[in-house]
Amino acid sequence: MSGRTGILVLILSLALAWCGGTLAQEGPGEAAADSTIVPVPVDSLATGVADSTSTETATDGRETDEGEFEIPLSSSGVHPSFSTASTSQDRFFNRKDMLSLSVAWPNSWIVGASISYDETTPRDYGREMVKSSTSLNTSMKLWGIFPTNLSVGNSYTDMKSTSVTSTKTNYTETSNVNMAIRGAKDLSGWLSVNGSANLGANTKDYNNSDGVTNQNEGGVRNLVGHLNLDLKENLKVVTGYRSDVILGKGELLGVSSDLESRIDSMRLEVNYNLGAKLAVSMSGGQQSQVIETLDFFRNQYGTIEDSTDIAMQEMISDDWGGDVNVTWSPSPKFKITTRGSVKTHRKRVANRDVLSKDTDTYLINVSSDVKPWRNAEVKINYEQTRNLSVDVSADTEKYNRKMNVRGSQKLSDTFSMSFVGTFLLNQDFYANTERNPQDRDKMQTSYAFDVKGRIASWLTATNEIKWNENRDIFILASRSSSNKDKRTLSWRGRLDYNFLEKYLVKQQCIVSVDEDDFIFTEDRNALDREFTLFTESTLPIYKSVKLLFDHEFRLREMGSYKPDTTVVGSPKTFFRSSRKKTEKLTLGVVYSYRSYLMVTCEEEVGREIDYSYIDHTQKSKIFGNLEFEIAFNRSLGSSGSISAKLRQKLRFGKYVPDNQRSLWFPSLNISYTF
């Protein structure tokens, strides 16, 4: 531990000395040798300066509307703060404490430190975890121009898993130091630049009770540049470059190796508005990665075959892509948007051809928004993608087509109706059907229609019908027995009562039918019918007391749905195999004292009956809960708050474990900033 601390102190000293040098100076970085910088997607402007903090800089500043960096100082001086939180669930207790301290100098810098404690204790056998972290952050403007941030941190996690037969432990400790600097400059009225640089280092130790150890030391250097050109009032160009270099040394089970990884990415975006009716945007990007890792030897499925086979692996990948967007709006009642994009991915692993993979993706999207007449709107969207993938496991070609239609019409001041239709087709094709007999078509069709509105000042209603069909078709005859259609038809009706603006009653009824139709194996056909009725009500009986009443009734019948050979024509018939009926009733009372104290008592009683039409047997069970809760919420001036709850749950029923029949759930949250 002392050696790593010395390394961090040395790097910190170098970082401080670097402050007085030029911004172009490079140095070690923060991420561990086995860490992987998140790749920059080629379809986003992630190369911009906004991503310069992605290497875990503790940046506390923010940009103003004018683009200048502002140190977030609420006031100068010393600001300690404290928070504690204790919660409980059915199977565990959790406690979190946080103590932080910040010292601020106006327009200069901030120094802060924090210590946190997190403990999770299970009620039964399970897991116990303790976390601790300390950090030091400073923010200042170098030479009064460049926002600069320096952070040093240390954290550890000590986890213990306990079972009936054994206890296992895992310990992880991480230390890091990081420095980030940012800058922006307007070169002229049409050209501006900004950029950032990060450097840092960290160490990571891991060990567990099984004797597995892993030690890593390393760093990262990150450079980002961003160029903005406003060539005309309606023409803007944005381009950016990003470079990440990871240096370090990794160790796994006694095997060590020097590791170096690099990620370079570029991005270009052009936006051109041809008046208010036509807008065109084009973007493209490229990213190259060389990632070195120390890992177990894995096969093409990612499985470790030999736990003693450890080696350094080098992965090289190249990504590029581009897209074009065109929006045309000739009138306020019509707009159409078209998008096309192409993405490619090439991945190679040195001496491991089984892990290589190539992917090409093509996309076309067309959407329109039409207002054909008064109070009516129709939206249509069509998207088609083609994905080509080549790897050792399977060469595949996938097509996806989706069309969505949405329409709405306002019928009156209080009533409206809407319609949604979705059509989806997914097709998968494999080059080697003998090895992967998975060629298939998946089709989905769905419709939804609803009418809703206010019948009276105290009553609103909703009526909804849905139809959904999923068809799964395997192309090869050897898999055709799994071909099936799944159809669902449902109706939902809801009424909301509001008497005198305080007596609230909600009722909802749902009826649904689900059918599984196996095309070539009709003896597997199945049908599921369900009826559900919900009722919720809130009834104030005094200004600080209200009653709660909830009721749920559910009836479900399941069985086969196949041809009846005893009837002429062999029509499909529902042969019931089982029936399940569930009913629950909840009663409660809530008492509120002013705005900070609330007492609640609720009791739930339920019954479940399972009946089999096959052997004419019936099973039933009764279950229920009784809960008491006291909640207290109060602010402590303008800088703090306290929230406390104490809840007890009593459970009864045949299948409730003994240790779950009576549970206490205390919780406490206190926070204050001095």
Side-chain angles (χ1 to χ4, degrees):
M1 180 67 186
S2 59
R4 294 192 303 274
T5 304
I7 293 174
L8 291 177
V9 172
L10 176 60
I11 294 175
L12 177 58
S13 302
L14 293 174
L16 293 174
W18 180 85
C19 293
T22 63
L23 296 180
Q25 186 175 354
E26 297 182 4
E30 174 201 10
D34 64 340
S35 301
T36 301
I37 294 180
V38 177
V40 181
V42 295
D43 59 347
S44 71
L45 269 175
T47 54
V49 72
D51 255 6
S52 63
T53 59
S54 66
T55 51
E56 301 182 11
T57 58
T59 303
D60 293 325
R62 63 180 184 277
E63 290 186 7
T64 63
D65 295 336
E66 293 77 18
E68 296 181 356
F69 195 84
E70 180 182 56
I71 303 296
L73 300 180
S74 58
S75 61
S76 61
V78 180
H79 300 280
S81 63
F82 170 76
S83 66
T84 180
S86 300
T87 59
S88 57
Q89 301 295 330
D90 287 3
R91 300 194 176 276
F92 66 87
F93 296 96
N94 181 257
R95 173 189 166 192
K96 294 182 180 180
D97 298 328
M98 171 69 74
L99 176 64
S100 62
L101 176 68
S102 64
V103 183
W105 286 264
N107 302 319
S108 181
W109 58 339
I110 302 174
V111 177
S114 65
I115 300 175
S116 64
Y117 175 80
D118 188 332
E119 181 179 8
T120 300
T121 305
R123 296 181 186 267
D124 306 321
Y125 297 105
R127 186 182 69 178
E128 181 178 352
M129 182 168 58
V130 178
K131 293 182 179 181
S132 178
S133 64
T134 58
S135 64
L136 174 66
N137 305 281
T138 68
S139 299
M140 60 185 297
K141 283 191 175 182
L142 191 62
W143 303 310
I145 301 175
F146 300 103
T148 305
N149 300 275
L150 179 65
S151 65
V152 180
N154 175 270
S155 64
Y156 75 84
T157 301
D158 191 0
M159 184 173 65
K160 180 172 66 175
S161 301
T162 305
S163 65
V164 179
T165 58
S166 64
T167 298
K168 295 186 177 182
T169 59
N170 294 275
Y171 180 84
T172 304
E173 182 175 359
T174 302
S175 301
N176 65 80
V177 58
N178 190 83
M179 185 174 184
I181 186 169
R182 304 173 65 181
K185 181 68 174 179
D186 288 330
L187 301 179
S188 66
W190 57 272
L191 178 62
S192 64
V193 297
N194 54 44
S196 67
N198 294 268
L199 62 91
N202 75 9
T203 64
K204 181 178 180 180
D205 289 348
Y206 171 83
N207 63 78
N208 62 25
S209 55
D210 294 331
V212 177
T213 61
N214 188 359
Q215 295 181 343
N216 294 280
E217 297 177 356
V220 66
R221 186 268 294 160
N222 165 260
L223 297 175
V224 174
H226 211 197
L227 185 67
N228 301 289
L229 298 91
D230 293 331
L231 301 178
K232 294 182 179 180
E233 183 178 355
N234 57 349
L235 177 60
K236 296 183 179 181
V237 179
V238 181
T239 183
Y241 171 77
R242 173 170 178 160
S243 175
D244 296 279
V245 177
I246 305 173
L247 303 171
K249 182 176 182 179
E251 182 177 345
L252 181 61
L253 292 181
V255 179
S256 61
S257 176
D258 293 327
L259 304 175
E260 179 179 352
S261 300
R262 185 182 184 93
I263 302 177
D264 296 288
S265 58
M266 299 176 59
R267 176 72 177 173
L268 175 67
E269 181 173 320
V270 180
N271 295 282
Y272 189 34
N273 294 325
L274 300 173
K277 296 182 179 181
L278 182 63
V280 180
S281 66
M282 295 176 289
S283 61
Q286 187 268 344
Q287 176 177 279
S288 299
Q289 300 183 65
V290 179
I291 306 296
E292 293 182 350
T293 59
L294 188 63
D295 195 6
F296 297 99
F297 187 86
R298 301 173 185 266
N299 58 22
Q300 65 267 33
Y301 306 106
T303 304
I304 300 173
E305 297 180 344
D306 185 356
S307 60
T308 62
D309 191 354
I310 302 173
M312 189 272 287
Q313 297 184 8
E314 182 182 69
M315 186 272 289
I316 302 174
S317 68
D318 188 71
D319 298 82
W320 71 271
D323 58 59
V324 178
N325 290 269
V326 179
T327 301
W328 181 48
S329 181
S331 72
K333 293 185 178 181
F334 179 78
K335 182 175 72 173
I336 185 170
T337 302
T338 304
R339 179 194 174 202
S341 69
V342 178
K343 298 179 184 179
T344 68
H345 172 74
R346 300 292 182 265
K347 173 186 172 182
R348 298 292 182 270
V349 179
N351 302 321
R352 297 298 313 280
D353 291 340
V354 295
L355 299 180
S356 299
K357 185 173 183 178
D358 296 344
T359 304
D360 298 301
T361 303
Y362 307 90
L363 178 144
I364 296 177
N365 181 280
V366 180
S367 62
S368 63
D369 190 344
V370 184
K371 298 179 180 179
W373 52 77
R374 183 182 178 184
N375 297 326
E377 185 175 11
V378 178
K379 295 183 178 181
I380 302 175
N381 181 276
Y382 174 79
E383 182 172 291
Q384 177 177 314
T385 60
R386 182 189 180 196
N387 185 280
L388 304 176
S389 179
V390 178
D391 59 34
V392 69
S393 61
D395 296 348
T396 61
E397 185 173 358
K398 297 185 178 183
Y399 291 89
N400 298 319
R401 301 175 180 88
K402 182 178 181 180
M403 185 174 182
N404 184 272
V405 181
R406 293 177 177 269
S408 63
Q409 173 70 59
K410 188 176 180 181
L411 303 176
S412 66
D413 292 339
T414 58
F415 275 87
S416 64
M417 68 177 182
S418 64
F419 168 82
V420 178
T422 302
F423 313 92
L424 180 66
L425 173 61
N426 295 333
Q427 296 177 292
D428 298 344
F429 301 100
Y430 290 80
N432 189 339
T433 55
E434 294 183 0
R435 183 177 180 182
N436 293 284
Q438 303 293 329
D439 287 8
R440 68 199 300 183
D441 292 346
K442 298 183 70 174
M443 293 174 286
Q444 178 180 341
T445 305
S446 64
Y447 306 97
F449 176 80
D450 72 77
V451 178
K452 57 185 176 182
R454 183 178 295 275
I455 299 176
S457 60
W458 49 272
L459 178 61
T460 59
T462 301
N463 194 44
E464 180 183 67
I465 297 177
K466 288 184 178 181
W467 163 261
N468 187 78
E469 181 178 15
N470 289 283
R471 174 167 289 188
D472 197 353
I473 304 296
F474 287 90
I475 306 302
L476 299 181
S478 59
R479 297 294 309 277
S480 61
S481 61
S482 299
N483 294 352
K484 74 171 183 177
D485 288 348
K486 184 176 179 63
R487 306 180 187 92
T488 301
L489 177 64
S490 65
W491 170 83
R492 181 178 70 93
R494 174 168 174 165
L495 295 174
D496 291 86
Y497 306 87
N498 188 347
F499 301 105
L500 303 177
E501 298 297 329
K502 61 179 180 179
Y503 299 102
L504 307 178
V505 179
K506 300 178 182 180
Q507 285 188 310
Q508 183 171 251
C509 181
I510 302 175
V511 180
S512 64
V513 179
D514 296 329
E515 177 192 0
D516 288 336
D517 185 2
F518 290 86
I519 300 174
F520 296 108
T521 52
E522 292 184 331
D523 58 319
R524 299 169 61 188
N525 291 357
L527 190 70
D528 189 337
R529 304 189 303 194
E530 188 168 356
F531 171 83
T532 307
L533 179 63
F534 299 97
T535 302
E536 302 177 12
S537 60
T538 302
L539 308 174
I541 59 175
Y542 190 64
K543 60 181 181 180
S544 58
V545 180
K546 59 183 178 181
L547 298 179
L548 307 177
F549 173 82
D550 297 339
H551 178 262
E552 176 185 340
F553 175 81
R554 189 185 302 269
L555 178 63
R556 182 182 181 186
E557 290 185 326
M558 295 162 285
S560 61
Y561 189 60
K562 54 188 178 181
D564 187 357
T565 56
T566 62
V567 180
V568 178
S570 300
K572 284 186 176 181
T573 305
F574 180 40
F575 297 94
R576 292 180 296 180
S577 60
S578 63
R579 181 186 66 200
K580 185 175 183 178
K581 183 167 66 174
T582 305
E583 191 169 6
K584 292 192 294 184
L585 178 64
T586 303
L587 298 174
V589 59
V590 179
Y591 170 73
S592 301
Y593 179 74
R594 296 188 177 179
S595 61
Y596 52 83
L597 182 63
M598 180 179 295
V599 181
T600 304
C601 178
E602 288 189 3
E603 182 177 12
E604 177 188 89
V605 179
R607 182 179 62 172
E608 189 175 283
I609 300 176
D610 291 325
Y611 180 78
S612 173
Y613 290 95
I614 298 176
D615 54 11
H616 301 287
T617 59
Q618 178 173 292
K619 297 179 181 180
S620 64
K621 66 177 181 179
I622 298 177
F623 57 90
N625 301 317
L626 179 60
E627 295 189 27
F628 300 92
E629 181 179 281
I630 300 177
F632 177 83
N633 296 278
R634 195 69 183 267
S635 60
L636 303 176
S638 60
S639 303
S641 64
I642 180 172
S643 174
K645 287 184 180 180
L646 180 61
R647 180 164 63 100
Q648 185 187 22
K649 176 184 284 189
L650 303 175
R651 293 174 171 174
F652 61 89
K654 181 178 180 181
Y655 301 100
V656 178
D658 292 338
N659 60 351
Q660 295 286 312
R661 291 185 176 274
S662 178
L663 299 174
W664 287 91
F665 300 90
S667 66
L668 176 66
N669 293 271
I670 302 175
S671 62
Y672 195 84
T673 301
F674 297 90

